[in-house]
Amino acid sequence: MIARLTGVLAEAAGDHAVIDVGGVGYLVQLSGRTLQALGGVGGQVKILTDMQVREDAITLFGFGSIAERDWFRLLTQVQGVGGRVALSILTVLAPDELSRAVASGDKAMVARANGVGPKLALRIVTELKDKAGPALGPVGGAASAPKGSAEADALSALGNLGFRPAEAAAAVRAAAEELGPGATLDALVRLALRKATK
């Protein structure tokens, strides 16, 4: 599982980028919002990723924040929402806007994204209302660890192991409080795993 990439932005197009990591170019699908935030070709970039393995393809999706990645994972749990549709939604709505739309049941807001009709928008706000509320809060609260911090990396690790965003955030937060500042990633992940599986 590839959870994060740090390298040089080699190419950027409408919906994807190629990131050169030690001479290997990774093709990453991105939301328009994240693509704009990457900056110019040739610059150093760091993005979180989610890898989807299908019978006919392995696709890497990239995100500028933990909140964006967590919303992507929630969206793709909804029947009819694939990776590209989820990115389309995240291009139109920032994570905090998406949280508000889902919390208030505003299907018209979600339907602004390409590839999302009224029925699919209704399904998204209906199915995610309970999952998203405590998990991401009104402004993506559970996913607000600073980029590059041990807590952010621990959240990513638990997410990659299949824990829901709410579970992962609560476990990492509890582990961080218990271990105090300066805790290593290894210690955080171990303690968070113990707390999450209790």
Side-chain angles (χ1 to χ4, degrees), residues 104-188:
S104 64
D106 189 348
K107 66 179 195 285
M109 190 88 148
V110 178
R112 289 171 36 205
N114 286 338
V116 181
K119 286 183 182 176
L120 183 55
L122 178 61
R123 190 181 311 140
I124 289 167
V125 297
T126 305
E127 288 186 25
L128 296 185
K129 193 163 193 167
D130 293 334
K131 291 181 184 178
L136 300 172
V139 290
S144 60
K147 277 189 201 177
S149 72
E151 285 181 55
D153 290 343
L155 261 174
S156 177
L158 264 65
N160 289 334
L161 290 171
F163 289 94
R164 291 195 310 268
E167 292 174 323
V172 169
R173 196 165 34 249
E177 285 171 13
E178 189 172 315
L179 294 170
T184 66
L185 173 60
D186 188 44
L188 266 176

Side-chain angles (χ1 to χ4, degrees), residues 11-187:
E11 292 175 35
D15 61 353
H16 68 274
V18 175
I19 299 173
D20 187 308
V21 181
V24 178
Y26 290 87
L27 178 68
V28 186
Q29 303 294 319
L30 303 162
S31 71
R33 198 175 292 271
T34 299
L35 200 54
Q36 283 184 329
L38 286 182
V41 171
Q44 277 286 126
V45 294
K46 178 179 177 181
I47 59 167
L48 300 169
T49 59
D50 190 74
M51 188 167 71
Q52 291 188 353
V53 180
R54 304 262 186 260
E55 262 182 46
D56 58 343
I58 297 174
T59 309
L60 207 53
F61 295 93
F63 313 97
S65 68
I66 293 170
E68 187 183 32
R69 188 202 55 208
D70 288 347
W71 266 111
F72 175 85
R73 289 176 174 167
L74 282 174
L75 287 165
T76 54
Q77 290 174 12
V78 176
Q79 183 184 353
V81 180
R84 290 184 189 279
V85 170
L87 287 183
S88 175
I89 293 168
L90 290 165
T91 294
V92 172
L93 299 171
D96 60 330
E97 295 171 324
L98 185 52
S99 291
R100 285 194 294 273
V102 169
S104 64
D106 189 348
K107 66 179 195 285
M109 190 88 148
V110 178
R112 289 171 36 205
N114 286 338
V116 181
K119 286 183 182 176
L120 183 55
L122 178 61
R123 190 181 311 140
I124 289 167
V125 297
T126 305
E127 288 186 25
L128 296 185
K129 193 163 193 167
D130 293 334
K131 291 181 184 178
L136 300 172
V139 290
S144 60
K147 277 189 201 177
S149 72
E151 285 181 55
D153 290 343
L155 261 174
S156 177
L158 264 65
N160 289 334
L161 290 171
F163 289 94
R164 291 195 310 268
E167 292 174 323
V172 169
R173 196 165 34 249
E177 285 171 13
E178 189 172 315
L179 294 170
T184 66
L185 173 60
D186 188 44

